[in-house]
Amino acid sequence: MEDIRLNWEPKSLVPLAELEEKFQFYADDLKSSILILKNGSLLFVKVFENENDEVIAKKCVEEAKFFIDFRTVELKQGGWLVGLHDAVAVYVSFDEYKQQRAEIKKRFEELKFPGEEFFNQSNNEDHFLIGVYARGKLQYDVHNFAFFKRVAARVN
């Protein structure tokens, strides 16, 4: 079976240190751990001590390639979290979106799957564009898997 892909799978412009710092805050707040991929995808899954983070992340991301629906939420700490599933989201920073907005609009058709049509687009054009862009970033992580790290809640 031929793999269906987007024509543009954007590379993240968010520095990994920023991604780690921001989601360490959320891991602490959630009292949980988050697996971070290098292109900004985040996995909110329970990983036991004897399990390999990278293996778990790879399995989750393989399943995520079929996720098409999304919801965009602006974060209190800045930027947006685009949820594609309860356990899978992608981070887009304010600066990244500001820098990429014109390119996203110009290449919008390349962020759609073949034959895909959007219905009930968000009333907020920016949230919709951020969501489609983040979905493309997830697809990059699916096809170019690169695990970054696990951030866990710090014990006080």
Side-chain angles (χ1 to χ4, degrees):
M1 184 168 129
E2 187 177 324
D3 204 15
I4 298 173
R5 301 215 19 201
L6 300 176
N7 287 326
W8 181 34
E9 295 169 350
K11 290 183 184 177
S12 181
L13 303 180
V14 179
L16 291 174
E18 177 185 336
L19 197 59
E20 178 181 2
E21 179 183 333
K22 181 168 295 290
F23 286 93
Q24 180 65 66
F25 170 83
Y26 287 107
D28 290 344
D29 189 48
L30 295 169
K31 309 270 188 279
S32 184
S33 62
I34 302 167
L35 302 179
I36 302 174
L37 304 183
K38 288 187 177 179
N39 206 46
S41 297
L42 306 158
L43 307 172
F44 299 86
V45 295
K46 184 151 182 88
V47 181
F48 298 100
E49 290 304 316
N50 63 342
E51 292 181 304
N52 182 309
D53 295 340
E54 192 167 343
V55 170
I56 298 296
K58 178 84 168 149
K59 181 180 177 189
C60 289
V61 145
E62 278 299 313
E63 293 174 17
K65 74 175 154 184
F66 301 110
F67 297 160
I68 57 171
D69 292 332
F70 57 85
R71 66 189 179 288
T72 304
V73 177
E74 191 164 352
L75 298 173
K76 290 178 186 175
Q77 297 291 321
W80 296 270
L81 190 64
V82 179
L84 293 111
H85 180 275
D86 289 344
V88 179
V90 178
Y91 176 69
V92 177
S93 75
F94 176 80
D95 290 339
E96 178 180 28
Y97 180 60
K98 182 178 167 187
Q99 185 176 339
Q100 290 287 84
R101 189 176 191 283
E103 186 77 6
I104 295 166
K105 288 185 85 157
K106 180 176 138 188
R107 299 182 71 181
F108 179 77
E109 291 298 316
E110 295 178 59
L111 290 168
K112 291 170 50 178
F113 288 102
E116 182 177 29
E117 296 295 328
F118 289 106
F119 301 100
N120 298 326
Q121 294 179 22
S122 168
N123 291 334
N124 184 323
E125 180 186 37
D126 287 319
H127 279 200
F128 179 70
L129 292 174
I130 290 163
V132 172
Y133 174 74
R135 191 179 73 165
K137 286 176 59 172
L138 171 65
Q139 289 299 309
Y140 184 90
D141 268 333
V142 166
H143 298 289
N144 304 278
F145 180 79
F147 181 75
F148 174 54
K149 75 181 325 181
R150 173 192 198 180
V151 292
R154 294 176 281 211
V155 179
N156 292 335

